[in-house]
Amino acid sequence: MSRISVLISKPVIHLILIALIGILLYSNTFNSPFQWDEEDFIFGNPIVKDLSYFSEPSKAKGLELYPALKSRYIGYLTFALNYKLHGTEVAIMSLILQFIS
């Protein structure tokens, strides 16, 4: 077998290729503006800005988006973690989460 065919048969190479193709496909989203209601649900949302609402959801009862927190807990938690780690750069964390899934 040639060196190239040996290299291509390694699973780590497959993972690297998938990651590179994914980054290439999503690269246009890194500088694009938000669409529809993302501004309200992510950056205008006090629930996303305070991680304590996820350990004690009842603290958010008086907030407008509390029903959404109850029905989309995991989604909002990922928004909140992303906001905490990367601020407004949600595209990077979204790409990482999609690779993981």
Side-chain angles (χ1 to χ4, degrees):
M1 263 203 301
S2 72
R3 290 178 69 155
I4 292 177
S5 58
V6 169
L7 188 64
I8 290 175
S9 67
K10 294 185 180 195
V12 71
I13 299 299
H14 299 164
L15 293 174
I16 291 170
L17 285 173
I18 290 170
L20 289 174
I21 290 169
I23 289 169
L24 180 65
L25 291 173
Y26 282 94
S27 64
N28 67 334
T29 66
F30 295 149
N31 295 318
S32 62
F34 287 109
Q35 303 295 317
W36 301 292
D37 56 3
E38 286 118 345
E39 188 71 36
D40 296 331
F41 279 98
I42 298 173
F43 302 115
N45 185 350
I47 294 170
V48 170
K49 295 178 180 178
D50 186 354
L51 288 174
S52 70
Y53 291 126
F54 296 93
S55 60
E56 226 177 309
S58 62
K59 286 175 50 178
K61 258 190 183 163
L63 299 174
E64 178 185 359
L65 294 173
Y66 176 68
L69 171 64
K70 290 183 353 183
S71 64
R72 298 185 61 206
Y73 182 86
I74 299 296
Y76 274 8
L77 179 60
T78 61
F79 289 153
L81 291 172
N82 189 17
Y83 187 81
K84 187 75 169 175
L85 294 172
H86 301 286
T88 59
E89 295 297 324
V90 296
I92 294 168
M93 188 62 162
S94 295
L95 180 62
I96 292 168
L97 289 172
Q98 289 188 26
F99 281 156
I100 291 170
S101 68

